[in-house]
Amino acid sequence: MIIGVLNQKGGVGKTTIAVNLAAMLASSGQRVLLVDADPQGSALAWSSARDADPLFPVIGMAKPTLHRDLPEIARDYDAVVIDGAPRVNELGRAAILASDTILIPVQPSPYDVWAAAETVQLIREARQYKPTLKAAFVINRKIAKTAIGRDVAQALSQFEEFPVLSAALCQRVIYAESAGQGLAVSEVDAKGEAAREIAALVREVTSIKERKAA
């Protein structure tokens, strides 16, 4: 299973979702690889900030041949998570073609909804070559006890073939604080709300894979 976390808009929380998704998969006993396909190297920086033993390897592959190079490496792992690049179509296309499932993080903002159209178009183009490719939106930095998360989900319904996952990540300080230490939220507070959000996301992403297999 190769999961790409991608959005052509920067600052939507791709790395936060990618590292925490990888950590939760690793905690379930899976062999996980995190691929940093962003020239900014945010996932590699997260790994470098870590003092504890690594939960999984992190490698940099910000290159347009990613879709050709990754399959051989991925054979040694149960799950691969790709932290994709923003605003770089060539790298974005390579990451999409390398993936089995794409998660598109979207913040509850009209700017993010408008920007999502570009990522959607790239995925639609990729499906001409890879018709089995799955994709879904993930609402990130949702503000608890407000209707704004529901509103953005309604706005995203214009992209009919791209579901909005029910597992959303709320605006929580722990996501930033844990990242600064090179940790996942599940390591900082395994029973906290953030860890439960990531666990729910893993369950839903796994169900996408199972529907695909069926």
Side-chain angles (χ1 to χ4, degrees), residues 32-55:
V32 177
L33 173 68
L34 178 58
V35 176
D36 193 334
D38 186 344
Q40 294 179 349
S42 297
L44 287 168
W46 171 85
S47 180
S48 296
R50 184 180 181 88
D51 290 328
D53 292 338
L55 297 173

Side-chain angles (χ1 to χ4, degrees), residues 7-22:
N7 194 321
Q8 291 297 290
K9 182 179 183 297
V12 294
K14 291 184 294 78
T15 304
T16 295
I17 291 175
V19 299
N20 283 286
L21 186 66

